[in-house]
Amino acid sequence: MTEPIISIAMTSPPFLPFTRPSIDEPTITEVAQVLRSGWLTGGPKVLEFEAALSRYCQGRTVRTFNSGSAALTIALRLAGIGPDDEVLTSPLTWVATPNVVLEVGARPVFVDVDPVSRNIDLSAVEANIGPRTRALLPVDLAGLPVNRELLYAIASKHRLRVIEDAAQSLGAQWHGQPIGASGDFVAFSFHANKNITTGEGGALVIPDDIDSALCERMRLQGVFRNQNGDMDVDIRGTKSNLTDIAAAIGIGQLKRLSELTHRRRELARYYFECIRQDMGLDLPAADFVQSNWHMFQVLLPIGTDRRAFIEAMKTEGIGVGVHYPAAHLFTLYRTLGYAPGDFPVAEDIGRRTVTLPLFAAMSHADVQRVCIALEKTLLNAGC
Ligand SMILES: *Cc1c(COP(=O)(O)O)cnc(C)c1O
């Protein structure tokens, strides 16, 4: 009998993507139950998911949406932000962040980022506050929290609302408290690439001075029942409610949030052990307590051809992403007057950043594989 030794020996390990969701079998069973139940849109599962999110946020009011972008947009509306208003935010973010500001007719005013945290430079915020500034929209990039004490000190001094873009930081902590448990508005995303997912989806933590019934009307066509039980519409709403199908996924995912976060922190720590220091990479802030390690991002040495690097890693079976080019350099934002050189730190990071694989189902051997591929690509191939 001849054994196919050669074909076994030549089998390469499967491609390692930069992220992949972890959906367990009980969750899949729950989704099937919803599909069989006959009630697919927002119903009992949405209420159950919102209650679970509220418990996670230590009793605060939480409402769900069909995207994180919808949660952010409705937060801006609830905060009364509109035309002629300015909102201060980071240029180093997913473009949804400034896009939602434009969506409500306001102007995003970018402030450069801090080179270590890669989040909005809070020491530069006050110099950008003007008579039209109404809100701060900070982003916890890669799940590393913006300094909440400094943030809220600035906000209260200048009487600004805060909409925390916590799309990437569910599971992260600030001084032992979960992100979402305190603060003004806090928006989460459950996009498929986030630490926990509903496929697509989002949630908003609503402060006490805001009417949650108004939030629900904004989410679904402005519709409500008046005292007689008749339907009425008093505001222009949107169509951005979550389905019970998605909520069933979210309920199963939220149960595992702390386990998944713990695993990401372990893997991130292992990256720091494995990445050789002589490769000229700038590593992310080594925070294994507060960050939820939504992404593991390194900055390539200055002069590296990023496109060639990504291709070379792909040849090694490793998926690498780019999150994100500085948003003010996109064509749309240049038409608002932004130009290269405006935010040099964000531009430098945006040009050099790459996202290495990091997701809860990865093994330590996978991290080693990435590190070996990095050495081969950066030291030998000379990208
Ligand atoms: C994912 C994300 C969003 C938007 O969330 P969606 O669910 O995709 O609409 C907003 N801001 C940041 C920083 C994000 O990463």
Side-chain angles (χ1 to χ4, degrees), residues 306-350:
R306 181 165 62 183
R307 211 172 296 169
F309 169 83
I310 292 169
E311 275 310 305
M313 290 293 280
K314 201 165 157 191
T315 308
E316 297 298 320
I318 310 289
V320 172
V322 173
H323 309 93
Y324 302 90
H328 67 285
L329 298 180
F330 292 133
T331 304
L332 175 65
Y333 290 94
R334 290 194 194 210
T335 66
L336 298 181
Y338 291 108
D342 285 351
F343 309 107
V345 183
E347 288 170 32
D348 175 58
I349 296 172

Side-chain angles (χ1 to χ4, degrees), residues 93-314:
T93 181
W94 173 230
V95 72
T97 312
N99 281 356
V100 296
V101 178
L102 296 180
E103 175 69 23
V104 300
R107 179 181 172 85
V109 173
F110 295 112
V111 177
D112 208 352
V113 300
D114 174 84
V116 176
S117 70
R118 304 173 187 169
N119 286 329
I120 191 167
D121 182 352
L122 290 171
S123 71
V125 164
E126 285 196 279
N128 286 279
I129 295 173
R132 290 167 187 250
T133 310
R134 297 282 312 283
L136 306 177
L137 178 54
V139 181
D140 300 322
L141 187 71
L144 182 70
V146 167
N147 184 316
R148 294 299 197 269
E149 272 98 60
L150 290 177
L151 174 69
Y152 281 97
I154 298 166
S156 62
K157 181 173 164 197
H158 297 273
R159 298 174 169 276
L160 302 173
R161 293 235 62 143
V162 178
I163 293 104
E164 299 181 19
D165 183 343
Q168 302 186 1
S169 56
L170 182 61
Q173 278 96 31
W174 181 254
H175 288 188
Q177 298 279 96
I179 294 299
S182 62
D184 199 0
F185 293 93
V186 185
F188 297 118
S189 166
F190 307 119
H191 175 267
N193 284 355
K194 301 302 200 285
N195 287 22
I196 68 167
T197 183
T198 59
E200 297 281 2
L204 181 65
V205 185
I206 301 164
D208 287 342
D209 65 316
I210 298 290
D211 180 9
S212 59
L214 177 60
C215 176
E216 288 165 15
R217 300 209 295 286
M218 285 183 171
R219 173 173 75 175
L220 192 54
Q221 309 291 12
V223 168
F224 72 107
R225 299 263 161 207
N226 66 20
Q227 281 130 332
N228 305 327
D230 297 329
M231 180 186 133
D232 196 6
V233 178
D234 61 346
I235 55 158
R236 264 173 62 186
T238 61
K239 170 60 187 176
S240 42
N241 58 302
L242 196 68
T243 66
D244 264 21
I245 305 167
I249 306 173
I251 292 164
Q253 289 272 280
L254 187 59
K255 284 180 189 152
R256 297 177 60 205
L257 179 61
S258 87
E259 164 213 333
L260 298 173
T261 306
H262 179 76
R263 180 64 183 160
R264 283 175 175 272
R265 286 180 181 147
E266 262 178 12
L267 293 165
R269 194 188 282 275
Y270 193 53
Y271 261 121
F272 278 82
E273 285 174 33
C274 281
I275 291 178
R276 267 175 55 178
Q277 296 192 352
D278 59 354
M279 289 192 294
L281 294 171
D282 284 336
L283 300 186
D287 173 330
F288 307 108
V289 178
Q290 307 210 108
S291 175
N292 69 358
W293 288 96
H294 172 56
M295 296 188 277
F296 192 93
Q297 301 176 298
V298 299
L299 309 187
L300 296 172
I302 292 164
T304 307
D305 179 340
R306 181 165 62 183
R307 211 172 296 169
F309 169 83
I310 292 169
E311 275 310 305
M313 290 293 280
K314 201 165 157 191

Side-chain angles (χ1 to χ4, degrees), residues 23-139:
I23 309 290
D24 55 27
E25 286 303 319
T27 302
I28 293 169
T29 304
E30 280 298 323
V31 171
Q33 285 290 109
V34 171
L35 294 175
R36 290 190 192 101
S37 76
W39 191 282
L40 305 188
T41 187
K45 289 292 165 190
V46 162
L47 292 177
E48 188 184 332
F49 186 34
E50 288 177 347
L53 286 164
S54 172
R55 277 195 300 280
Y56 176 79
C57 295
Q58 300 181 356
R60 299 190 68 199
T61 303
V62 183
R63 291 294 178 268
T64 55
F65 301 87
N66 59 4
S67 72
S69 303
L72 285 166
T73 305
I74 288 181
L76 289 165
R77 292 223 167 94
L78 288 166
I81 313 279
D84 297 331
D85 294 337
E86 292 182 350
V87 177
L88 268 49
T89 194
S90 167
L92 198 63
T93 181
W94 173 230
V95 72
T97 312
N99 281 356
V100 296
V101 178
L102 296 180
E103 175 69 23
V104 300
R107 179 181 172 85
V109 173
F110 295 112
V111 177
D112 208 352
V113 300
D114 174 84
V116 176
S117 70
R118 304 173 187 169
N119 286 329
I120 191 167
D121 182 352
L122 290 171
S123 71
V125 164
E126 285 196 279
N128 286 279
I129 295 173
R132 290 167 187 250
T133 310
R134 297 282 312 283
L136 306 177
L137 178 54
V139 181

